[in-house]
Amino acid sequence: AGAWAVPLNARMSAGEVDAICAHCEPRLVYFAAEASPDALGHAERRGAHGTLVRAGRLQSFEGAGTAAEASDDGAPDDVALMIYTSGSTGMPKGVMLTHANLDFVTRVSRQQHVLLPDDVVFHALPISHSFGLITVLLCGLRAGATLRLIDRFSAEKLGNAIADGAVTVFPGVPAMYARLHEWAQHNGRTLTPNRMRMAYIGGSLIDASRKAQSEALLGLRLHHGYGLTESAPSATRTFGHPPPKDITAGWPIPGVDVVLMDASGAQVAPGERGEVCIRGPNVMQGYFRDPEQTRAAIDAQGWLHTGDVGLFGPEGDLSIVGRSKEMIIRGGFNVYPAEVEKAIAEFPHVAQCAVVGRSVPGDEEIVAYVEPEQGRIVDPAQLRAFLRERLAPYKVPAEVHVMAQLPATSKIGRASCRERV
């Protein structure tokens, strides 16, 4: 069709949706109005009109649109999908993924038998996110698997589906596994024996105790993987090897190179830590209308610089040991402090602020530190209510601390505040 699909999460705020639409200038916007009250609210706000599509009713809005940025004849290197990710500058970035990118990652997934034709997948991941959309939905379709789509994750639904033998595969983020364990303990439920063939965890790192709990609960070892939207999103995973006892991101998928580099761009010596860099047919075409950030992310040799710090083990598997970026992973979603700080700065009487991540069992949460203008008061409850109208729920800080004076601004301030969490 020559179109670029740009999926958005309906739980995003009006400002977030409008900012993305202003950036990519879509010719058509479709809202799943009957499936989601949030989508209906966006549709009504933008003056969309009804369109019947098979069993469900959509609302559609027609815009002026943007001229084609490249050829649109369906060639492999044409953009097929654009996913907006949180931006380190506070503005979201449109990751351009081509037909070739998607063909490669879905084909390799099938070759590695990640999903099989007889699988029934409990799919509760957002399909506006690369993990749920590409790794599960598209790879599942290419494998011929059955996808049991869940509109919103529920530990009870998942637990009952596993206990009833209704599903064979569950891909999730650490927070989902944590909720499943809590539900089983609270209800005294045992989930073994079951028909589960594979459980896969991605989106963010899991700690060793949570991994052990989940494996004992399900009666099988978890598979792991690593990637980011810019790598469509798969880069490494544990498939093709026995499910590991330890926490690891796995081995590079076939056809993809993964190396560790130092600050000068040279590969580090074996056993040393370095920035994870990826090169292969999975790497994005670039950021939409942002050549400067594209050049910063992909160097002249085609290496995608992830900003994550990794370490290769003696078996050649990758472990993610830290992030050189300030990114927070909340419920499997990437959140940059800058975008939350930008929203906080719009609240009356805020002089400056700093946002950091705090580790909680199976997840991270967001903590904000705010310095009011001299002689003014900032109420944390009112600020959080203000942010809920402007940010997706997973970006709203769990706590807001008001301080007479922040230690310093920018990275120095965040580093000082991080020591307090």
Side-chain angles (χ1 to χ4, degrees):
W4 299 12
V6 184
L8 300 183
N9 190 334
R11 297 180 68 194
M12 297 175 93
S13 71
E16 290 172 310
V17 170
D18 290 347
I20 289 174
C21 287
H23 186 256
C24 69
E25 298 180 281
R27 298 183 185 182
L28 289 170
V29 183
Y30 289 98
F31 305 86
E34 284 196 357
S36 163
D38 295 319
L40 176 60
H42 288 304
E44 292 175 341
R45 182 177 58 83
R46 294 185 68 92
H49 54 82
T51 304
L52 186 65
V53 180
R54 296 194 178 184
R57 182 174 295 276
L58 299 178
Q59 298 280 333
S60 64
F61 171 83
E62 189 163 350
T66 180
E69 299 284 326
S71 66
D72 56 0
D73 58 1
D77 291 333
D78 288 344
V79 175
L81 173 67
M82 185 155 70
I83 299 178
Y84 274 83
T85 68
S86 298
S88 57
T89 61
M91 290 297 295
K93 298 177 291 187
V95 176
M96 297 184 290
L97 299 175
T98 66
H99 295 279
N101 291 148
L102 301 179
D103 174 68
F104 172 78
V105 294
T106 55
R107 181 160 36 85
V108 170
S109 174
R110 188 176 180 185
Q111 290 171 355
Q112 290 193 294
H113 305 295
V114 176
L115 296 173
L116 302 174
D118 292 336
D119 281 330
V120 180
V121 184
F122 189 94
H123 189 352
L125 293 162
I127 55 174
S128 55
H129 187 272
S130 58
F131 186 10
L133 176 55
I134 302 172
T135 305
V136 184
L137 182 65
L138 294 186
C139 290
L141 290 172
R142 185 151 200 175
T146 298
L147 297 164
R148 180 172 173 177
L149 293 164
I150 308 299
D151 55 359
R152 185 163 293 189
F153 175 75
S154 158
E156 181 180 13
K157 286 182 182 179
L158 173 59
N160 287 332
I162 293 172
D164 295 343
V167 294
T168 65
V169 171
F170 172 57
V173 298
M176 292 179 175
Y177 284 90
R179 300 293 86 77
L180 178 64
H181 185 265
E182 291 168 3
W183 173 84
Q185 280 200 319
H186 183 264
N187 293 279
R189 294 295 296 272
T190 300
L191 299 184
T192 54
N194 54 52
R195 290 183 58 225
M196 291 291 289
R197 179 187 70 83
M198 186 265 285
Y200 180 82
I201 195 159
S204 57
L205 300 177
I206 189 171
D207 61 86
S209 61
R210 184 67 64 191
K211 173 181 166 68
Q213 284 179 348
S214 301
E215 292 177 340
L217 180 66
L218 298 175
L220 76 168
R221 294 208 179 274
L222 296 179
H223 273 288
H224 306 263
Y226 165 76
L228 58 164
T229 302
E230 288 87 339
S231 64
S234 302
T236 67
R237 52 184 167 225
T238 55
F239 292 90
H241 300 264
K245 295 180 181 180
D246 299 325
I247 297 174
T248 172
W251 290 259
I253 66 174
V256 170
D257 294 319
V258 178
V259 300
L260 304 179
M261 294 187 183
D262 61 21
S264 68
Q267 293 190 34
V268 301
E272 292 186 2
R273 299 182 178 195
E275 182 185 16
V276 179
C277 297
I278 302 165
R279 185 169 65 183
N282 57 335
V283 172
M284 67 170 179
Q285 188 179 91
Y287 296 118
F288 184 55
R289 293 176 171 169
D290 199 337
E292 184 175 340
Q293 289 208 66
T294 298
R295 285 192 296 269
I298 304 174
D299 65 26
Q301 287 71 46
W303 291 104
L304 170 65
H305 291 251
T306 68
D308 293 322
V309 179
L311 176 69
F312 280 116
E315 301 295 324
D317 58 315
L318 176 70
S319 293
I320 303 299
V321 296
R323 289 195 296 273
S324 61
K325 294 180 179 178
E326 298 288 341
M327 187 177 68
I328 302 163
I329 300 182
R330 172 66 173 160
F333 289 96
N334 298 342
V335 181
Y336 280 96
E339 62 179 332
V340 182
E341 290 168 354
K342 181 180 178 182
I344 293 174
E346 296 173 0
F347 189 71
H349 311 313
V350 170
Q352 57 179 335
C353 61
V355 169
V356 298
R358 176 173 63 193
S359 295
V360 295
D363 207 356
E364 281 186 287
E365 61 184 14
I366 300 166
V367 179
Y369 293 87
V370 175
E371 177 186 327
E373 294 173 349
Q374 190 170 6
R376 298 288 187 170
I377 296 174
V378 172
D379 181 81
Q382 292 180 359
L383 173 57
R384 292 183 76 248
F386 174 84
L387 295 176
R388 281 193 289 269
E389 296 178 356
R390 289 159 175 80
L391 297 172
Y394 61 87
K395 299 177 184 177
V396 176
E399 293 180 6
V400 174
H401 299 277
V402 178
M403 304 174 66
Q405 186 175 13
L406 259 62
T409 58
S410 68
K411 291 184 179 180
I412 300 174
R414 279 200 286 269
S416 301
C417 290
R418 192 177 292 109
E419 295 175 359
R420 298 169 180 263
V421 299

